Amino acid sequence: MKLSKRMANIKPSPTLAVSAKAKAMKARGIDVIGFGAGEPDFDTPDHIKKAAVKALDDGFTKYTPAGGIDELKKAVCVKFKKDNNLDYEPGEILVSCGAKHSLYNIFQALVYEGDEVIIPSPYWVSYPDMVYLAGGTPVIVTAREENDFKVTAEDLSSHITPKTKAFVLNSPSNPTGSAYTRQELQELAQILLKKGLMVISDEIYEKIVYDNFDFYSIVTVEPKLKDSTVIVNGVSKTYSMTGWRIGYAAGPGDIIKAMTNIQSQSTSNPTSIAQIASLEALTGPQDCISDMLQEFDKRRTYMVERLNAIPGVSCFSPQGAFYTFPNVAGVYGRRSGDVEISDSTSLAAYLLESVNVAVVAGVGFGADDNIRLSYATSFENIEKGLNRIQKAIEQLQ
Ligand SMILES: *Cc1c(COP(=O)(O)O)cnc(C)c1O
């Protein structure tokens, strides 16, 4: 069967692939410690589940407007005002089947054959593929580790060409956990404004920040960017609701309308009962977030410390999200018997096979010197897993 040319660059998500492999090993009875998780390990808070049950009981089980119900769009507007001091109207909001779907719709709406989209690397795995699917060309700009995995205004400038259409910003970042300060955003914003580029700002980890880090949306920092930015956010990470599939986008009305049309011709509306649950998530009690953060923070501190204590490994201390992204290049060149550890893929394979620990190779995020470990797993697992990793790396010759 001959697939369309469009599929030439499309790969399955490597993060989902690691989780699947670890799950399969577990099913065979192997005691695998998984650091692959891309979702909080906590259950969805009770009050949110109850709202969904009530929606079911109330018979709220039919199609809704393609772009989401008005009540939820209004709640999203209130959230933007309260958290980001941004004024959006319901006509500037789209509710999608997850933030991922909002992002997909943005690229479909904005990017055409030949357009370039600048993506800082390490990047969330889906951005380049989504650009390819829209017919565009991802242009990767390295966010250097010595600059805390952030791109500077200079890095950005040097990658802009007449074909550049948009810039993707993800702060706090998956996979690095790095987050941009107000000043850094201001510097990027000036270039983006001057060059008239669209900005796609993925703010899904907005609430998952540590050490009193002050999160800013780039639009809050530079309000002039509001007409050329689409902000993406959602309930998946903040409220442990990955399976509910609700995300949202805020941006200029004409872009949101185009995205809504794409959605209406592809998936129609996000699930009715999940929208009601998300309405409760945004408008109900918020203390579930601080409980989660406290636990994440404990694990983060421990994990960074343990990783930094392993010879050949150095780990940046992330300001947000729930991942560490240690540099493991110091281990490359060492051997286990016949096998040489030469890159992130061979190290990840070695850890899985020798000590049954699943990590994600950095190469999938555009950073082959690193691996990603999620701390969205119990403290006990983290302790056990790090003992195993340390042992496995120390055994290399
Ligand atoms: C998890 C994640 C998403 C997608 O979240 P959903 O709302 O579950 O689709 C988008 N961007 C980044 C950076 C993520 O880590």
Side-chain angles (χ1 to χ4, degrees):
M1 176 77 131
K2 205 159 180 294
L3 296 175
S4 84
K5 215 168 135 186
R6 183 180 306 114
M7 294 309 294
N9 292 304
I10 308 306
K11 315 159 285 298
S13 163
T15 49
L16 297 179
V18 171
S19 296
K21 189 163 178 193
K23 251 184 206 157
M25 286 174 72
K26 263 188 201 153
R28 294 207 311 271
I30 302 172
D31 169 29
V32 178
I33 304 271
F35 287 129
E39 58 187 345
D41 54 314
F42 308 104
D43 197 3
T44 304
D46 254 347
H47 66 281
I48 298 173
K49 286 194 202 172
K50 285 204 178 103
V53 171
K54 180 164 186 307
L56 264 179
D57 288 343
D58 291 348
F60 194 71
T61 54
K62 302 291 169 63
Y63 291 134
T64 75
I69 56 174
D70 258 352
E71 299 89 307
L72 182 53
K73 288 188 185 181
K74 282 182 191 149
V76 168
C77 294
V78 170
K79 174 241 144 359
F80 276 113
K81 185 66 190 169
K82 185 175 63 150
D83 293 342
N84 314 105
N85 194 28
L86 293 173
D87 293 293
Y88 285 104
E89 290 170 15
E92 298 170 307
I93 304 292
L94 169 72
V95 180
S96 301
C97 309
K100 194 180 229 175
H101 189 215
S102 276
L103 285 161
Y104 183 84
N105 291 336
I106 294 172
F107 290 117
Q108 289 295 320
L110 288 181
V111 175
Y112 198 63
E113 306 277 331
D115 289 341
E116 294 178 354
V117 177
I118 299 180
I119 301 173
S121 121
Y123 44 75
W124 183 57
V125 293
S126 296
Y127 302 135
D129 288 50
M130 285 182 183
V131 172
Y132 280 129
L133 280 170
T137 306
V139 171
I140 306 302
V141 47
T142 304
R144 287 164 293 124
E145 188 163 352
E146 57 274 25
N147 197 36
D148 292 352
F149 295 113
K150 289 181 269 199
V151 292
T152 63
E154 238 169 47
D155 297 330
L156 171 61
S157 288
S158 66
H159 287 74
I160 296 173
T161 76
K163 290 181 179 166
T164 309
K165 176 85 192 219
F167 172 65
V168 177
L169 180 67
N170 174 215
S171 174
S173 149
N174 174 4
T176 66
S178 180
Y180 287 77
T181 64
R182 186 181 184 120
Q183 176 65 31
E184 288 161 346
L185 291 173
Q186 184 59 253
E187 286 165 21
L188 293 179
Q190 295 323 304
I191 307 283
L192 294 163
L193 266 180
K194 196 169 107 196
K195 298 286 182 177
L197 300 186
M198 288 295 310
V199 184
I200 298 158
S201 184
D202 182 344
E203 304 179 359
I204 193 102
Y205 293 104
E206 166 183 24
K207 300 279 186 183
I208 307 184
V209 290
Y210 310 101
D211 300 333
N212 301 314
F213 182 86
D214 272 327
F215 172 88
Y216 285 99
S217 171
I218 193 164
V219 185
T220 308
V221 171
E222 180 46 86
K224 285 196 205 115
L225 275 179
K226 190 160 177 250
D227 293 337
S228 51
T229 302
V230 184
I231 299 177
V232 176
N233 206 325
V235 296
S236 282
K237 310 289 161 63
T238 309
Y239 302 100
S240 302
M241 289 178 70
T242 45
W244 299 75
R245 310 308 306 130
I246 298 289
Y248 51 85
D254 52 344
I255 298 176
I256 292 295
K257 190 162 170 228
M259 290 165 64
T260 308
N261 289 343
I262 293 165
Q263 191 160 297
S264 77
Q265 298 293 8
S266 50
T267 56
S268 296
N269 60 278
T271 308
S272 59
I273 52 177
Q275 289 188 65
I276 298 294
S278 301
L279 179 61
E280 173 62 23
L282 291 179
T283 57
Q286 302 292 305
D287 42 341
C288 49
I289 304 175
S290 43
D291 294 348
M292 174 175 76
L293 279 182
Q294 225 176 358
E295 184 57 33
F296 274 156
D297 194 18
K298 230 171 49 192
R299 301 173 186 176
R300 174 186 73 118
T301 312
Y302 177 77
M303 197 181 241
V304 170
E305 212 178 282
R306 285 290 310 265
L307 286 166
N308 274 320
I310 302 174
V313 178
S314 72
C315 186
F316 164 74
S317 181
Q319 290 100 8
F322 38 73
Y323 313 98
T324 56
F325 202 59
N327 186 308
V328 288
V331 170
Y332 297 171
R334 296 189 202 163
R335 313 179 68 87
S336 162
D338 287 347
V339 183
E340 182 182 326
I341 307 300
S342 53
D343 53 20
S344 60
T345 307
S346 52
L347 180 62
Y350 168 68
L351 292 176
L352 190 57
E353 279 149 31
S354 67
V355 290
N356 303 139
V357 172
V359 303
V360 188
V363 66
F365 308 100
D368 206 15
D369 284 349
N370 302 70
I371 55 176
R372 192 191 76 175
L373 279 73
S374 158
Y375 45 91
T377 184
S378 71
F379 199 86
E380 192 194 341
N381 270 348
I382 292 173
E383 230 174 342
K384 216 158 107 182
L386 284 165
N387 289 343
R388 291 189 194 181
I389 291 175
Q390 177 154 15
K391 192 173 123 216
I393 291 184
E394 281 172 359
Q395 273 171 358
L396 291 171
Q397 316 230 293

